[in-house]
Amino acid sequence: MPAVPDWLQVEINNSCNLACVMCPRAAMRRPVRLMTLEEFRPIAAAAACAGIPRLRLFLLGEPLLHPDLLEMIRYAKSAGLPSVEINTNAVALTPELSRGLVAAGLDEIVFSLDGIDAESYESIRLGASYEQVVENIEGFLRLRQEAGAKRPRAIVQTILMQPTQRGMQQFVEHWQERADLVRVQAVREYHGVQGLSVCPQGEFGELRPCPALWSYLVVLSNLQVVPCCTDINGDLALGDLRERPLLETWRRHPRLQALRRAHLSLEFSAYPLCAGCEFISLDLLREKARATSEWATASPPPPQSSSQSST
C-alpha cells in the first residue's frame, strides 16, 4: 500500500450553477454547504505535512462559486503542496477571476465542456450559454499568455456520450489548437444517471479490486472523509479529519481496511456502492477505453477523476 495517497480531493463546496444531464447531483442527500476557510486550512496543512503531492479542490460542486477559492489556493501553495488543481464549468469565469487564479499559483485547471455548438452544449449543460463559456475559456488562455505564465496547465475535458459522439472529432481538433491538452472520457452512469452511454452497461464480467482505495481520499464539504468520489452521500464515511489524523485514516482506519480486504477478495456484496460501480469491471473499462482511444491525447486520468458529476 502507498505510504500516502497520490492525491487528496477536497470538496470545498457542493453547490453548482448548472443542471447537467450526466450529473448525479439529483441523488445527493447532503445539504448544500460551503467549507469555510478556517475548516480548509488544517486539511491543506495536513496534506502538505503528509507529503501528498496533489490537492484537488472539487467534487460535486462548482469551485468558482466559493468566495474564498483564491485564498484557499494561495494557502495550499504556501503550505507546500506541489500541485493544486480544480475542475470548472467556466460559467462564472470572469477576466478578474482568471487573473486571480494565475496569480494565486493554481497548477492545473480542467475546463469541463461538452458539445461543439450551442445546440448540443446547451442541451447537456442546462443553464449555461455555449458562446459565453467558450469566450470565458479562450479569455483565460489569452490572459495566461499575456501574463507570461506557464501555470495553470489548461485542460479541456469532454465526455463521450450519445449526445456528443457525432461531433467529437471536430471538438478535439478545435480545442487541440488552443488548450494544453484535450481529454476525452466516456460517460459514467451511476446514482440514477442512465441512457447516455455509448457502451451500455451489461454484465460486469471479469472483476478487479478498485484502485481508488489505494490512490486517494475525498473530504466532503461537511468534512466527512470518504474512500472514493462516487460516495456522494457519505455512505462509507470514515469520520472527519478532526477526529483522526489524515495518515492514520489512510493507513489504519478499520472501515477502510475492511473495504480494501473485501475488494482484494472480490467480495462486493456487503458494499452496494461498490457492487454497482463500473470501476470493478475490467470488461466495461476495456470497452470504454476502446471507445475513447481514437481521441486519446495522453494517458487516461485516474479512476476518480471523472469530474463530469461535479462541474
Side-chain angles (χ1 to χ4, degrees), residues 104-116:
L106 185 68
D107 294 286
E108 181 175 286
I109 185 167
V110 178
F111 297 111
S112 297
L113 183 67
D114 303 291
I116 194 58

Side-chain angles (χ1 to χ4, degrees), residues 155-268:
I155 299 172
V156 171
Q157 179 172 283
T158 191
I159 301 170
L160 175 63
M161 50 186 164
Q162 292 183 23
T164 62
Q165 187 174 21
R166 182 173 298 178
M168 188 60 71
Q169 187 63 42
Q170 184 182 356
F171 180 98
V172 171
E173 290 174 356
H174 175 85
W175 286 104
Q176 276 180 332
E177 299 177 357
R178 293 161 172 80
D180 298 323
L181 176 68
V182 177
R183 178 184 292 158
V184 180
Q185 293 185 233
V187 69
R188 295 180 61 189
E189 294 185 326
Y190 64 117
H191 289 304
V193 177
Q194 57 185 348
L196 297 174
S197 181
V198 298
C199 307
Q201 182 172 303
E203 294 295 326
F204 271 17
E206 185 180 358
L207 303 179
R208 67 163 187 176
C210 180
L213 300 178
W214 290 269
S215 300
Y216 69 102
L217 288 173
V218 177
V219 184
L220 301 177
S221 63
N222 61 9
L223 305 184
Q224 289 294 304
V225 181
V226 295
C228 82
C229 67
T230 64
D231 191 7
I232 64 173
N233 289 309
D235 295 327
L236 301 175
L238 308 172
D240 70 47
L241 297 184
R242 294 170 297 188
E243 301 169 351
R244 186 188 297 260
L246 174 60
L247 289 186
E248 185 179 338
T249 298
W250 173 249
R251 295 170 180 170
R252 288 183 287 275
H253 196 291
R255 192 173 303 163
L256 183 55
Q257 296 287 62
L259 182 58
R260 286 170 173 153
R261 287 193 296 271
H263 272 251
L264 290 172
S265 301
L266 303 181
E267 294 289 343
F268 306 112

Side-chain angles (χ1 to χ4, degrees), residues 21-148:
V21 298
M22 63 288 187
C23 179
R25 283 181 56 81
M28 184 180 70
R29 301 188 301 270
R30 293 179 288 131
V32 172
R33 184 181 190 275
L34 293 175
M35 181 181 292
T36 69
L37 186 57
E38 290 71 27
E39 292 167 339
F40 171 79
R41 283 175 175 148
I43 296 172
C49 184
I52 296 174
R54 301 170 66 192
L55 183 67
R56 318 184 79 190
L57 305 183
F58 63 93
L59 181 66
L60 207 59
E62 168 50 54
L64 297 189
L65 298 181
H66 200 298
D68 293 321
L69 173 63
L70 296 182
E71 182 56 34
M72 288 175 165
I73 296 169
R74 284 192 289 266
Y75 181 84
K77 292 304 296 181
S78 69
L81 280 152
S83 184
V84 180
E85 309 161 13
I86 64 169
N87 274 44
T88 176
N89 58 38
V91 170
L93 186 63
T94 63
E96 180 182 16
L97 186 51
S98 293
R99 284 188 283 268
L101 291 169
V102 173
L106 185 68
D107 294 286
E108 181 175 286
I109 185 167
V110 178
F111 297 111
S112 297
L113 183 67
D114 303 291
I116 194 58
D117 53 31
E119 181 180 4
S120 58
Y121 172 85
E122 292 171 12
S123 69
I124 295 166
R125 293 190 171 265
L126 308 180
S129 163
Y130 175 76
E131 291 184 2
Q132 184 62 61
V133 167
V134 169
E135 181 179 329
N136 292 350
I137 296 173
E138 293 183 341
F140 174 90
L141 296 172
R142 285 194 303 271
L143 288 169
R144 186 187 64 168
Q145 183 177 23
E146 290 168 3

